[in-house]
Amino acid sequence: MIHIPAGEFILGSDRGEDYEGPQRVVCLGDYWIDQFPVTNQEFAKFVFDSKYRPTGTWDPQSVRSKGTHPVTGITWRDAHEYGAWCNKRLPTEYEWEKAGRGTQGPRFPWGNQWNAANCCCWEGGARSTCSVGAHQADKSPFGVVDMAGNVSEWCSNDFEFDRYALIEATNPSVTSDSQVRAVRGGNWLEVDRSSFELFRRGMMNTAASNGCVGFRCCRDTPPK
């Protein structure tokens, strides 16, 4: 896991959709976040050890051919239960965005200029997910990897259209009680370059799953 220190960062943008702004300076306390998305191997261990029954479309056979790839076919509940099993949790949108953009707010993990070769994406030749960490250029200023490409990722909070105009400047609160949760980051199937900008926001029903969405986890205390 990567330690994200307490302090300010640039949230959102005025160049995106209305619900992706206004751009704000927000302060978060410190936290830890997985350096990589959760893999098929890691999720399979959770399913085996806990006897959990996944509610999405995850294929156990993916462990054989794509063990080191990020897990997909995961509902929000599947991701949440995995986090609880390993004493972690899903990140909020704010935590995810700070981990990806650092404190200076670049558009992409590597800077402000798009380069399809830097991440796992269709334009760069991808036709599926790839092993986590295969694109080392897809690394945030904090060292968090695969934030732009490979898979989009579940966040813990509800998707609220007008949230940015209302949030507190320090440790903004979130709600997590609706059936529509936030999803962040680009993925291997995206063809629109703007989808890889780290301030972009997506949403998905908690019961839905597909081959483009996975997750990573956070925690408030140092990993053991």
Side-chain angles (χ1 to χ4, degrees):
M1 301 190 81
I2 299 290
H3 181 237
I4 309 298
E8 295 181 340
F9 78 106
I10 297 172
L11 173 73
S13 175
D14 295 325
R15 62 179 287 147
E17 303 291 342
D18 289 345
Y19 54 79
E20 293 165 343
Q23 188 174 90
R24 300 280 304 274
V25 175
V26 173
C27 183
L28 297 181
D30 74 316
Y31 58 98
W32 296 77
I33 192 167
D34 289 341
Q35 185 175 18
F36 305 103
V38 173
T39 66
N40 283 301
Q41 289 176 343
E42 291 167 332
F43 191 77
K45 178 174 172 52
F46 154 63
V47 170
F48 180 81
D49 288 356
S50 68
K51 306 299 189 292
Y52 177 76
R53 292 188 176 183
T55 59
T57 57
W58 176 68
D59 180 6
Q61 296 302 315
S62 62
V63 176
R64 295 184 178 181
S65 59
K66 297 183 177 181
T68 59
H69 290 218
V71 65
T72 60
I74 297 298
T75 66
W76 186 90
R77 178 189 171 191
D78 294 338
H80 173 78
E81 292 298 325
Y82 175 93
W85 173 74
C86 58
N87 296 314
K88 299 180 184 179
R89 58 177 175 79
L90 292 176
T92 67
E93 281 193 87
Y94 314 130
E95 291 169 331
W96 190 97
E97 189 166 334
K98 181 177 181 180
R101 300 180 80 182
T103 59
Q104 301 302 307
R107 293 167 59 197
F108 309 103
W110 55 83
N112 289 314
Q113 299 301 315
W114 168 248
N115 187 335
N118 284 355
C119 65
C120 180
C121 65
W122 192 271
E123 184 181 342
R127 296 299 180 264
S128 177
T129 55
C130 68
S131 293
V132 299
H135 291 75
Q136 281 297 301
D138 190 359
K139 180 184 294 185
S140 81
F142 288 120
V144 187
V145 178
D146 286 1
M147 298 294 276
N150 220 351
V151 293
S152 303
E153 300 176 18
W154 283 111
C155 292
S156 63
N157 57 286
D158 299 335
F159 184 96
E160 298 178 86
F161 281 93
D162 58 353
R163 185 60 180 154
Y164 283 13
L166 305 173
I167 62 173
E168 304 88 344
T170 300
N171 293 325
S173 58
V174 296
T175 59
S176 301
D177 53 17
S178 83
Q179 298 302 306
V180 180
R181 299 297 170 94
V183 174
R184 301 299 296 265
N187 61 66
W188 66 271
L189 192 57
E190 295 280 6
V191 294
D192 183 351
R193 294 178 177 183
S194 68
S195 299
F196 301 92
E197 294 176 304
L198 294 172
F199 58 82
R200 298 291 177 177
R201 304 177 69 208
M203 68 182 97
M204 202 157 80
N205 188 283
T206 55
S209 64
N210 61 49
C212 298
V213 176
F215 69 101
R216 75 180 74 215
C217 292
C218 269
R219 68 186 308 163
D220 299 313
T221 56
K224 295 181 180 179

